[in-house]
Amino acid sequence: MQTVSNDPVAAPRPAGGFSRRRLLKLLGAGGATVVVAGTGALSYRVYDTAALGPGRGDAYDPWQHWRETPGLLGAVGAAVLAPSPHNTQPWGFGIRADGVDVYVDAARDTGTVDPFHREQHVGIGCALENLVLACRARGLLPTVTLLPDGPAGPRIAEVAVRPGPPAPSPLYDAIGDRHTNRGPFEATAIEPETLNELADRTGADDVEVRWIADPAPRAAMSRLLIDAAAALCDDDQQSRDNFAWFRGTNDDIQRYRDGLTLGGQGFGPLMLAIAKLLPASSRADGDQFWLKQTTTVHTATAAAYGVLTSRTPDDRATQLTAGRLLERIHLAATGRGIALHHMNQVTERIDRERSTGAAPAFGPRFAELLPRGEQPLLTFRVGYPVRAAAPSPRRAAAQVVR
Ligand SMILES: Cc1cc2nc3c(=O)[nH]c(=O)nc-3n(C[C@H](O)[C@H](O)[C@H](O)COP(=O)(O)O)c2cc1C
């Protein structure tokens, strides 16, 4: 689950009595005309949230400079643009003369939302895929070894490189345009052949890609996602752990350069500017907004769902491989103008039930939608987007090199 909510004491309240809380409620209810009044306090919010310059500042610089930086530092610059759960960016890199060591930054986790660190390792797998693509583009032929020190060892992966001919690729070219799109999608189906072409399973024998596009299973998947979102909102600790990664002010975005932002929630430009100007809403309001978006936008406009499954979902190497495959799918979709939105609340509830010993409610329901014996690792929706998604903040390569 990843949602929008905010620190209730973060900002003064503008005159006029309209709040981000109310806006989120109205948006959740299907949209509304919003009148914003106020002078002094509102000007402060213009500065504080950078409402008039969305996606600007140092926190967004890594999206500008990843191509021109040569060598392995440039390849790490591409790696940090990968998706990660809640934009935690749970990675660290060690650059050697002949390669890159990849580490997990264990402290950058989402607590009870990802109790077994499955998503954390998938996110590192996504970064690893970008790293490999960027090495090839720079004439550095990569050889990847997963978990070179064993499952409990310090290194998550080793990428050894030797000189070769530069080999850019369409996937590499899409790295700077790939964003998670949480906005509405068009009511246009995606052809089954197109869906199948998105997934290059090279080296991913332990991971399958299942597309859920037919109306009946798609409706069942939608219901499951809505129910899981509701269960997450009702789970106080999961809601809190989710909220911890929301960055509600421009100061916080520029300071931390990670986490979830209003700019990543799929609003149109006018609504985004207004939402940024209004005072912060509470965690509970954010949860309700997310639940409404899940119901009225995310599931209502999904052309198809993709599910990465495995018979060994707890295996760390499988999770890294799934991340690499997920990133290839996202980049291939980007190159074809198809939007992708990661939606993992069902597996987050499955893991939560496992970690607390609760009776499994979501596992059996998801199993009904998948081939026997395959367990879900990751879920996302795809579709042709109504509007482009915005970049999210990133720590620069130099900040994550050890
Ligand atoms: C393993 C994984 C799980 C994710 N789960 C969700 C999710 O459940 N809901 C969501 O909206 N985004 C999810 N995301 C997307 C991240 O929030 C997103 O990648 C991050 O905020 C950075 O934004 P970007 O992808 O636009 O660069 C997930 C990403 C990864 C890699």
Side-chain angles (χ1 to χ4, degrees), residues 52-65:
L52 304 182
R56 302 231 177 101
D58 290 351
Y60 297 90
D61 262 8
W63 294 97
Q64 307 301 326
H65 304 300

Side-chain angles (χ1 to χ4, degrees), residues 1-3 63 80-89 113-114 118-124 126 178-182 259-261 264-265 290 298 323 326 330 341-346 348 377-379 389-394:
M1 162 199 179
Q2 309 206 353
T3 179
W63 294 97
V80 304
L81 301 182
S84 61
H86 289 62
N87 199 16
T88 46
Q89 306 167 37
V113 177
D114 186 24
R118 175 179 50 82
E119 291 185 2
Q120 186 183 57
H121 284 80
V122 168
I124 294 177
C126 294
R178 184 218 56 81
H179 307 297
T180 298
N181 194 323
R182 298 186 180 89
L260 302 170
T261 66
Q265 299 304 322
W290 175 61
H298 303 166
L326 179 68
H330 203 163
H341 173 191
H342 306 271
M343 298 182 74
N344 287 294
Q345 54 261 43
V346 185
E348 287 163 2
L377 256 174
L378 296 155
T379 310
S392 54
R394 284 297 187 283

